[in-house]
């Protein structure tokens, strides 16, 4: 069957005719015969319904996840390292081991998500944070040996550890259990929303990480007042109570997480057809069934966008973990030097916990704002480039400024330059990869490689470098400048070049001799698929 023709304008002003490859789903219009005004109203109502059902609960899951992985920084501030008689090297090793298991297993989690169902996979990994960890909790306390656990109560287990070995064990299994959540949800949301709608949803979802940092400081400041209760120190209660919250939320998730659009039970048949059609109009097929083949993996690995996306994400993720894990310690050291009217003479760990709240709150607001702007402008690369400059300036201030007030301002700019770029980079990567399995694998590789840099982040802030932490600040500054800023500029330029070639018809030979279905299976290699800049 002949394909329809569309006319596009090249940069030189000449008109070029290009074939448009129509997804068969487009023929299944549930609103056929309605006016455009009526269709727009129905579409808005559908989008609002999706937002209310999907976004709040998934954001809550990530808040729990990020809180559980980073509250060790708050616990350190309240005496964890001293009570377990750990050296600085051992404490950093406890941070590092989380990222080893977390990163290694991330690339395969989206394949598991696709081959099972979100309503099973996501709640299951939450419950695995709960399952045998209770026995691990008892085992660590009594130094027994049992089969390994996962997270939720594994988080609680960290509140019962008696030595460095117990902490290492719980951190390893914490990383293993959490590996599937962030890449899984990033991929899952990309199967529900159009490319121009994903950014702000990912931003709202990821802002939970910034809120976790902010909320975590407040929560830790309150929980540490339980010091001595039940014979446990205050830092132990941070792990126990926050882990208990994850247990409850993980169980409820079986009723709160839904499948992909083609199977989601909260959708009527009419709404299901609407969701699939609006995705097809956006040149997306990832929401539909696709048979697993090893060629999907190799297509992702050989795609230059996977490599460059991983470089960009390592720049922002390595910086993120350095910031989130050590910010309570950094602020505590700054506090020793600050002379503000609202501080008491004796600067305490509680004040450091509270002072970590405002930077995270600013980062959360900016993350959502950048997601909204990037969706409206479809200029995710320029957003990354501009926002990364905040981080570069912020860590330059931390590195070079001598006064505590200026360096605290640097903490604000550092948070504002890191957090928005995480969600924006994931959205940018997702927008430019099509195909159910290819997109999932690409996100797994990009996010997994980024998180692997948490190993570096865990070892660059040493107690011997206090109070200035020059090696740590310098490393984060290099990550932000070379990988985040430099990688974003590189990808933006390469995508512009490729889009120009497609508009000029220089990629049309890729589909010679192929029928409509074969062309559809090309995904982002379809000549009419234009990349999001």
């Amino acid at each position: 069957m002949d394909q329809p023709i569309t006319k596009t304008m090249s940069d030189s002003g000449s008109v070029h005719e290009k074939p448009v490859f129509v997804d068969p789903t487009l023929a299944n219009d549930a609103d056929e015969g309605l006016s455009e005004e009526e269709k727009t109203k129905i579409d808005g109502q559908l989008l609002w319904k999706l937002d209310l059902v999907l976004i709040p609960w998934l954001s809550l899951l990530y808040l729990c996840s990020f809180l559980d992985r980073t509250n060790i920084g708050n616990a350190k501030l309240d005496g964890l390292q001293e009570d377990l008689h750990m050296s600085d090297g051992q404490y950093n090793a406890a941070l590092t081991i989380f990222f080893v298991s977390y990163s290694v297993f991330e690339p395969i989690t989206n394949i598991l998500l696709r081959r099972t169902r979100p309503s099973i996979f996501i709640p299951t990994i939450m419950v695995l944070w709960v399952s045998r960890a209770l026995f691990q909790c008892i085992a660590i306390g009594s130094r027994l040996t049992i089969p390994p656990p996962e997270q939720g109560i594994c988080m609680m287990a960290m509140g019962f550890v008696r030595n460095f070995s117990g902490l290492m064990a719980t951190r390893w299994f914490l990383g293993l259990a959490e590996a599937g959540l962030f890449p899984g949800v990033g991929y899952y949301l990309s199967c529900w929303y159009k490319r121009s709608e994903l950014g702000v949803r990912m931003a709202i979802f990821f802002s939970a990480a910034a809120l976790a940092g902010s909320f975590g400081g407040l929560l830790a400041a309150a929980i540490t007042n339980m010091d001595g209760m039940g014979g446990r120190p205050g830092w132990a209660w941070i792990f126990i109570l926050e882990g208990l919250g994850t247990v409850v939320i993980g169980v409820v998730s079986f009723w709160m997480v839904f499948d992909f659009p083609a199977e989601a039970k909260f959708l009527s048949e009419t709404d299901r057809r609407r969701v699939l059609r609006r995705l097809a109009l956006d040149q997306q097929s990832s929401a539909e069934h696709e048979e697993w083949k090893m060629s999907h993996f190799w297509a992702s690995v050989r795609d230059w966008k996977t490599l460059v996306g991983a470089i960009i994400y390592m720049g922002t993720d390595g910086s993120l973990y350095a910031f989130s894990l050590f910010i309570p310690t950094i602020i505590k050291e700054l506090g020793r030097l600050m002379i503000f009217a609202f501080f008491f003479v004796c600067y305490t760990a509680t004040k450091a916990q509270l002072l970590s709240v405002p930077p995270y709150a600013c980062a959360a607001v900016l993350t959502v704002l950048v997601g909204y702007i990037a969706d409206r402008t479809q200029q995710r690369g320029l957003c990354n480039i501009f926002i990364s400059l905040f981080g570069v300036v912020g860590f330059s201030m931390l590195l070079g400024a001598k006064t505590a007030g200026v360096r605290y301002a640097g903490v604000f700019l550092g948070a504002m330059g890191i957090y928005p770029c995480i969600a924006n980079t994931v959205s940018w990567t997702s927008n430019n990869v099509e195909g159910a399995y290819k997109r999932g694998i690409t996100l797994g590789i990009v996010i997994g490689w980024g998180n692997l840099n948490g190993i570096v982040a865990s070892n660059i802030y040493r107690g011997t470098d206090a109070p200035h932490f020059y090696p740590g600040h310098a490393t984060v500054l290099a990550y932000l400048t070379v990988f985040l800023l430099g990688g974003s500029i590189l990808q933006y330029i390469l995508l512009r070049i490729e889009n120009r070639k497609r508009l000029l018809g220089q990629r049309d030979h890729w589909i010679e001799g192929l029928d409509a279905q074969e062309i559809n299976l090309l995904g982002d290699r379809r000549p009419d698929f234009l990349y999001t800049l």
Side-chain angles (χ1 to χ4, degrees):
M1 182 177 69
D2 292 337
Q3 297 289 348
I5 298 293
T6 187
K7 293 184 177 181
T8 58
M9 185 73 70
S10 70
D11 292 348
S12 63
S14 61
V15 175
H16 180 72
E17 292 188 345
K18 291 180 61 61
V20 177
F21 310 108
V22 181
D23 190 311
T25 308
L26 296 178
N28 193 14
D29 187 359
D31 301 315
E32 188 174 1
L34 298 181
S35 67
E36 287 303 316
E37 184 177 306
E38 290 173 320
K39 287 184 178 181
T40 300
K41 181 180 179 180
I42 290 173
D43 191 64
Q45 292 172 341
L46 176 62
L47 195 58
W48 182 240
K49 179 179 181 179
L50 297 181
D51 288 342
L52 289 179
V53 172
L54 301 176
I55 304 300
W57 191 260
L58 293 174
S59 298
L60 178 62
L61 297 188
Y62 193 59
L63 186 148
C64 293
S65 171
F66 205 83
L67 192 66
D68 287 351
R69 82 182 65 165
T70 59
N71 58 9
I72 189 172
N74 300 107
K76 178 191 178 187
L77 204 60
D78 200 59
L80 165 72
Q81 186 172 342
E82 292 78 9
D83 287 355
L84 297 186
H85 308 291
M86 294 191 301
S87 65
D88 288 341
Q90 287 178 319
Y91 174 76
N92 287 347
L95 301 183
T96 300
I97 198 168
F98 168 88
F99 295 104
V100 176
S101 55
Y102 186 65
S103 304
V104 167
F105 290 100
E106 273 189 318
I108 67 170
T109 55
N110 279 350
I111 299 175
L112 295 175
L113 173 66
R114 188 74 206 188
R115 299 199 73 175
T116 56
R117 294 193 325 225
S119 62
I120 295 176
F121 180 80
I122 293 176
T124 296
I125 63 173
M126 291 290 292
V127 170
L128 286 176
W129 301 349
V130 175
S131 63
R132 290 173 292 166
L134 177 59
F135 300 102
Q136 179 74 5
C137 214
I138 299 170
I140 291 173
S142 59
R143 302 187 186 184
L144 298 174
T145 302
I146 60 169
E150 312 295 331
Q151 195 211 348
I153 292 178
C154 184
M155 184 66 241
M156 295 171 60
M158 292 173 62
F160 291 86
V161 296
R162 296 181 176 181
N163 52 37
F164 168 65
S165 299
L167 184 63
M168 288 287 283
T170 54
R171 291 288 293 179
W172 164 268
F173 291 112
L174 185 66
L176 174 63
E178 287 196 11
L181 186 63
F182 185 69
V185 172
Y187 170 63
Y188 174 70
L189 290 179
S190 75
C191 295
W192 280 94
Y193 293 99
K194 293 161 62 175
R195 291 191 287 169
S196 60
E197 299 165 347
L198 179 63
V200 71
R201 274 83 188 176
M202 275 302 301
I204 293 171
F205 168 69
F206 183 71
S207 66
L211 290 175
S214 180
F215 177 65
L218 289 171
L219 193 59
I223 292 175
T224 52
N225 291 324
M226 297 176 64
D227 184 49
M229 291 185 62
R232 305 306 303 167
W235 60 262
W237 283 110
I238 293 176
F239 293 140
I240 294 168
L241 294 184
E242 292 179 6
L244 181 62
T246 303
V247 169
V248 175
I249 292 170
V251 173
V252 176
S253 292
F254 277 104
W255 291 272
M256 297 299 294
V257 176
F258 300 91
D259 292 325
F260 292 111
E263 300 93 11
K265 293 181 180 178
F266 77 94
L267 291 176
S268 66
E269 183 58 35
T270 300
D271 279 347
R272 182 174 294 111
R273 289 163 57 192
R274 286 171 177 151
V275 171
L276 294 175
R277 177 178 169 80
R278 69 197 308 274
L279 291 173
L281 285 168
D282 196 45
Q283 297 180 313
Q284 294 192 61
S285 60
S286 299
E288 301 184 59
H289 294 288
E290 182 178 273
E291 183 183 352
W292 161 253
K293 297 178 182 177
M294 196 63 189
S295 59
H296 300 310
F297 171 80
W298 294 116
S300 174
V301 171
R302 292 166 182 161
D303 192 335
W304 65 267
K305 301 191 302 297
T306 304
L307 172 61
V308 179
I311 291 172
I312 297 170
Y313 199 74
M314 72 181 282
T316 190
D317 220 30
S319 306
L320 168 76
Y321 286 117
F323 185 90
S324 59
L325 289 171
F326 290 97
I327 197 61
T329 300
I330 293 169
I331 290 180
K332 182 180 179 182
E333 293 299 334
L334 287 178
R336 298 182 193 278
L337 307 175
M338 289 182 174
I339 308 176
F340 292 136
F342 55 85
F343 283 162
F344 295 106
V345 174
C346 179
Y347 190 84
T348 65
T350 300
K351 294 185 180 68
Q353 308 275 27
L354 295 176
L355 277 174
S356 67
V357 173
Y360 282 118
C362 288
V365 172
L366 187 60
T367 297
V368 177
L369 179 61
V370 169
Y372 176 80
I373 293 172
D375 275 356
R376 285 302 182 94
T377 63
Q378 286 296 283
Q379 294 290 336
R380 303 199 189 281
L382 292 182
C383 287
N384 250 21
I385 292 167
F386 177 73
I387 294 299
S388 66
L389 296 176
F390 282 83
V392 170
V393 172
F395 275 87
S396 296
M397 292 166 65
L398 283 168
L399 191 61
K402 301 300 181 184
T403 62
V406 175
R407 289 163 65 193
Y408 186 52
V411 171
F412 274 84
L413 291 176
M416 294 165 66
I418 294 171
Y419 279 83
C421 291
I422 293 279
N424 192 55
T425 299
V426 172
S427 298
W428 197 16
T429 299
S430 178
N431 281 178
N432 292 324
V433 180
E434 185 48 52
Y437 280 108
K438 183 184 177 184
R439 182 189 296 172
I441 294 167
T442 298
L443 285 174
I445 292 173
V446 167
I447 295 172
W449 174 252
N451 283 316
L452 196 60
N453 285 269
I455 295 174
V456 177
S458 302
N459 292 281
I460 57 177
Y461 284 96
R462 303 170 301 183
T464 55
D465 298 325
H468 299 292
F469 298 106
Y470 290 133
H473 296 332
T475 302
V476 174
L477 181 59
Y479 263 69
L480 291 171
T481 305
V482 178
F483 301 126
L484 176 55
L485 178 59
S488 296
I489 293 173
L490 174 62
Q491 178 158 283
Y492 181 79
I493 292 172
L494 293 177
L495 290 177
R496 282 188 65 91
I497 292 173
E498 181 59 29
N499 275 355
R500 178 179 174 81
K501 289 180 177 179
R502 295 186 178 196
L503 287 172
L504 293 175
Q506 296 177 13
R507 300 304 193 198
D508 289 354
H509 63 278
W510 288 350
I511 51 93
E512 290 179 359
L514 302 181
D515 59 30
Q517 184 176 4
E518 291 172 325
I519 291 169
N520 235 23
L521 292 176
L522 290 176
D524 55 89
R525 283 181 59 81
R526 284 168 42 171
D528 68 328
F529 185 98
L530 295 182
Y531 292 123
T532 299
L533 299 178

